[in-house]
């Protein structure tokens, strides 16, 4: 099973300093849903691992979170893609749980649910804790320069990467999808994807 684990806020959808609290505030980052669909079409299963402390803070309830994810699924379906499952931590930092990133609990749940070894499973996020959680579970860390990372300087990005060795940096989820699909074809000894080559020529 080809699995990729994605952060939500700042990676798939626009982040907010005051938390994404409703479906109206859940706005996809341009190109992100299309990127997930392209990964799906290349045989990758995508799951989300997300801190959602807004529940623990009383900013929104489970029905609102479900409505946000329904919007995600519906918009993604229009692009021909899908998220297999959303794993989330509802706790606040003071709860001391194992599922709030940077702890690896969510990733362990994903590994158990799908019966897969997480070694080298790509994890994509926009903040340090996403990469730390994934790396602690054995995943391959990838940083996208969207969300909170969009406000970081090159020096700050370099410093972040030194804290999680092996981190690859991509402009956004679209660029990550290009890299992962091309990397797999290279490993398998396949020629470059002509569709991806055309996309880059048009860009």
């Amino acid at each position: 099973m080809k699995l990729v684990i994605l952060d939500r806020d700042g990676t798939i959808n626009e982040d907010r300093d005051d938390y994404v609290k409703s479906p109206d505030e859940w706005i996809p980052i341009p190109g992100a849903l299309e990127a997930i669909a392209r990964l799906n079409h290349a045989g990758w299963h995508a799951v989300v691992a997300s801190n959602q402390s807004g529940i623990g803070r009383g900013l929104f309830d489970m029905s609102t979170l479900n409505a946000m994810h329904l919007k995600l699924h519906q918009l993604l379906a229009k692009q021909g893609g899908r998220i297999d499952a959303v794993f989330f931590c509802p706790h606040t930092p003071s709860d001391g749980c194992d599922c709030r990133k940077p702890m690896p609990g969510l990733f362990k749940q994903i590994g158990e649910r799908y019966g897969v070894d997480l070694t080298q499973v790509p994890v994509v996020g926009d903040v340090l804790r996403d990469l730390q959680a994934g790396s602690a579970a054995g995943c391959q860390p990838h940083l996208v320069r969207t969300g909170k990372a969009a406000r970081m300087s090159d020096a700050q990005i370099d410093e972040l990467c030194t804290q999680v060795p092996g981190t690859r940096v991509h402009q956004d989820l679209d660029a990550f999808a290009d890299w992962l699909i091309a990397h797999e074809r290279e490993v398998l000894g396949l020629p470059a994807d002509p569709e991806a080559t055309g996309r880059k020529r048009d860009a």
Side-chain angles (χ1 to χ4, degrees):
M1 180 180 183
K2 299 195 303 184
L3 182 68
V4 58
I5 301 174
L6 306 174
D7 171 52
R8 200 195 78 171
D9 301 334
T11 300
I12 299 174
N13 59 280
E14 302 286 357
D15 197 13
R16 293 173 60 104
D17 290 336
D18 61 345
Y19 300 92
V20 179
K21 304 176 293 300
S22 71
D24 286 343
E25 293 181 352
W26 195 96
I27 301 171
I29 293 171
L33 300 183
E34 294 86 345
I36 295 171
R38 286 195 293 112
L39 289 171
N40 293 155
H41 297 161
W44 292 87
H45 293 263
V47 300
V48 168
S50 178
N51 286 353
Q52 291 297 321
S53 67
I55 293 178
R57 299 174 195 271
L59 299 177
F60 52 86
D61 57 18
M62 275 301 305
S63 63
T64 302
L65 183 65
N66 289 338
M68 290 187 229
H69 292 154
L70 177 61
K71 182 177 181 179
L72 162 62
H73 292 308
Q74 290 176 333
L75 292 179
L76 187 51
K78 291 180 180 179
Q79 300 295 333
R82 68 189 297 265
I83 292 289
D84 284 21
V86 177
F87 292 75
F88 66 92
C89 169
H91 305 113
T92 65
S94 62
D95 290 330
C97 66
D98 182 55
C99 57
R100 179 176 169 81
K101 296 181 287 187
M103 300 298 287
L106 284 181
F107 294 83
K108 292 177 180 178
Q109 292 177 29
I110 292 169
E112 291 168 1
R113 167 83 68 86
Y114 291 96
V116 297
D117 179 1
L118 294 180
T119 303
Q120 297 306 305
V121 167
V123 57
V124 188
D126 69 308
V127 294
L128 177 61
R129 62 173 174 258
D130 299 325
L131 311 182
Q132 291 173 321
S135 182
C139 296
Q140 179 188 82
H142 293 264
L143 178 74
V144 285
R145 298 193 70 163
T146 51
K148 291 183 172 59
R151 302 195 292 264
M152 298 176 69
S153 67
D154 290 344
Q156 289 173 318
I157 294 288
D158 290 343
E159 171 61 24
L160 184 153
C161 290
T162 64
Q163 298 183 61
V164 186
T167 295
R168 287 184 175 271
V169 180
H170 310 272
Q171 191 62 34
D172 51 23
L173 198 54
D174 188 49
F176 164 77
D178 281 344
W179 177 87
L180 185 60
I181 292 168
H183 177 69
E184 181 187 35
R185 294 182 72 87
E186 181 181 353
V187 169
L188 296 176
L190 299 174
D193 182 358
E195 181 179 338
T197 302
R199 275 168 34 80
K200 290 178 181 177
R201 188 181 302 119
D202 294 339

